[in-house]
Amino acid sequence: MTAVLSLALAAGVEGGTSLRFFGNGTNDIDRVKIPIDDPATTLPGPPADVGATDFTIEFWLKGAAADNTAGAVSCGANVNWIYGNIVLDRDRYNQDRKFGVSLAAGRVVFGVSGDGTGDLTICGLTSVLDERWHHVAVQRRRSDGYLWLFVDGVLEAQGDGPDGDISYPDDGVPGNYCGGPCTGSDPFLVLGAEKHDAGPSYPSFSGYLDELRLSTTLRYAPGFTRPAQPFIPDAATAALYHCDEGSGTTLSDSSGAAGGPSHGQLRVGGSPAGPVWSSDEPPFGGYLTLTLTPIASGLPRITSITSDGPGRLFVTLQSGQVRIVDNGTLLPTPFLDLSGLVSCCGERGLLALAFDPDYATNGAFYVHYTDSSGNSVVARYTVSANPNLANPTSGVTLLTVSQPYANHNGGPLAFGPDGYLYVALGDGGSGGDPDNRAQDLGQLLGKLLRLDVSGPPPYAVPASNPFVGVPGAREEIWALGLRNPWKVGFDRRSGDLFIGDVGQGMWEEIDFQPAGSSGGENYGWRLKEGNHCYNPASNCDPGGLTNPILEYPHTDGNCSVTGGSRYRGALSPRLDGVYLFGDYCSGRIWGASQRGDGSWRMLELLDTPMNIATFGEDAEGELYVASYSASNGSIYRLDAVPVPGCTATDVTSFTAPSSATYGVPYQLQWSASGPATTFELQESTSPTFSPASTTVVTGTSCTVIHTGSTPQTYYTRLRPLDTCGATTYPGPWTPTQATALAANPACQLEIANQVYTAATTVTSCGTLALGPSVQVQAAGVVFRAAYQVALRNGFSVQPGASATLGLDISLADP
């Protein structure tokens, strides 16, 4: 069966931000100005200067009729759009090549003037000034000037308008055409006001704007479902503004488009002064639906889920067993059975398993359990010659910690990107941490430990641990002030660490440690519970505490947080970067994302009937959730489902060369019959694709390179990931393609037309040339060659991304 549950805003949970304008757009205030040209040169403008090609401009809007009183305008072959309450203005005063969006009598109006090819204004049908959020999209086709206007996915107006290029002229010199201060205002895209301040006949918009995206493609056909999530950039995104900065006077472009970013500046003023950042956001919750896809059941008292490779899940049971789910099949024989050593149950038992980073070669893994005396134990085991069976006699105890009470054992284990083992321990139990152990550096309880397990047992303390050499402190401690951490998760891409810490009686919290931290964070327990004083009841912060990024109260059935993971899988790219966590008692699952100002917001994603025991991540980054039951716990994969009436379409053609050469790139190309722009590409040396490497590709081609010396057949398959109503889901696989490879003794590797959207390493045993059109969009991309790495024209590293060449020469963009 498949359970479908609606996404809804969590009651009382803080949202993100939008921009609030007050209709005071005179004298160059109450607006956002986005530069689109440098009049001193004849070079093309930044990416936000759309109009030279097909384009789509879309945004979310909210306003009231009483605040936007512009009357109806006559639509047709004219420029009457300029007389509405101006929402978006890319006018050129008394000149051609311009366009804009306004509200006239509450209806959306879109107008375009060509380069000597005439004018057209088209008008929507329904008022959007009902104090509710609406998605607005306008489109123009360059070849014939055809225009479309959509409100909430409904086509409300269209017409055959002026054709030709309507981008800002590269040699355009703004003149004083308006008898006023328009000289410095022409080469801008302006939000919220008429940019030339030409007078009261051109009123400003009063209301809210959010999620503005400019695209160099026609994105929509009539009857689409309005987006249900903030936009993510793709190859056609020219500029993208989430409006989530929350403070400051910069509106940031997060598109990553080549030649950008196209940042905007807030011109604040008026009474009340605008624009201002507002917590009022579009109702993204309420439209997206998700599924719980069943994976396995009949598992009593699940405590953790992890993976050793593609298609395999390892599940710890509180009684002491480790079970394997292999490609959806629960294997009958436990991987390891520690029932004779483990004390169960309550908050005791086998709590976690973590595979050594070198598990493929050394076969080592680590378990955390409560022994028969009630102590917390961390031990190392190794796998046998059979990958489905551990060696039960290989156990070596690394750490034993005495527990004064039977509760608050903590339990999570995880290897960080630094290769060290992180162990989370609770405060020792009882209630309220009666002996203040979580703040005592002389005790391991209530702490996050960081251990070097790469050498002889039991372990070594990394020299970089924050309390090394501190008198009276246990040097294993990495962070302190935890009550009962239940699940920790490292972001596999960024290295950020998330900790779900169970509260005392009123507040649950998520703690955060950014990648690159030197450790030593004090998360506050028992001084604070969440952001609130606990003991003492006031004046509880002596300074230096690290507050949680998120908290939620014990209301509506909530009682105990279950920490989770940040999604980095391929099947639901709209969830990329979202941290998923839940509550054991209420069964709710939330998703959290970070705003532009660094703060966090959370949305309730699912309201399930489960007691949520744990979240887990497989080798591909897909996320799983488990229900806790004494006899019949179940595991589900978290997936997105299609909007009704939206169907992923087949790939109509898919070509790959019949043979290729090691170290020499070749091009995979395809076409599809439907609206998909994102595809999932898999390669494998096995015709059953087990295991397989997975790449998510935006576009209809991908450069593939293989290294080696022995001829090998590679199987390739492809399927579309259609986005409909902002829900991404897979379509059918294409027929398998095969490529036989021969040796390339020269090792001359040339890469072109390749975009790197995730951390990866590319190597050559000889030379490596990069460009043209090689673009790095992610951090951690490494290029290495035995003799030379050469950069050619067209190689670029986008803002926020980084690349390393050969001898670790950094190309990180500032």
Side-chain angles (χ1 to χ4, degrees), residues 322-346:
V322 181
R323 302 294 300 273
I324 299 176
V325 180
D326 192 343
N327 288 299
T329 299
L330 178 64
L331 301 187
T333 303
F335 176 69
L336 179 65
D337 192 342
L338 300 178
S339 302
L341 302 177
V342 169
S343 174
C344 180
C345 292

Side-chain angles (χ1 to χ4, degrees), residues 95-186:
Q95 302 173 83
D96 283 345
R97 291 176 65 158
K98 58 191 178 185
F99 58 87
V101 179
S102 67
L103 302 177
R107 295 167 176 80
V108 181
V109 176
F110 174 40
V112 169
S113 296
D115 192 358
T117 55
D119 312 299
L120 182 67
T121 296
I122 60 175
C123 297
L125 301 175
T126 59
S127 175
V128 295
L129 294 176
D130 55 2
E131 301 184 64
R132 303 177 66 183
W133 283 99
H134 296 277
H135 176 259
V136 175
V138 295
Q139 297 185 157
R140 177 183 184 266
R141 188 164 57 208
R142 157 70 187 259
S143 61
D144 57 4
Y146 206 87
L147 308 181
W148 295 265
L149 188 162
F150 302 91
V151 175
D152 294 326
V154 177
L155 178 63
E156 293 206 340
Q158 59 183 319
D160 190 356
D163 56 7
D165 186 357
I166 60 168
S167 64
Y168 195 91
D170 299 333
D171 57 354
V173 178
N176 189 5
Y177 294 97
C178 60
C182 70
T183 301
S185 296
D186 230 21

Side-chain angles (χ1 to χ4, degrees), residues 482 497-501 509-513 523 546-549:
L482 298 173
L497 173 64
F498 297 82
I499 306 169
D501 196 15
E509 68 183 77
I510 300 294
D511 296 315
F512 177 77
Q513 185 183 81
Y523 293 111
T546 299
N547 289 325
I549 58 170

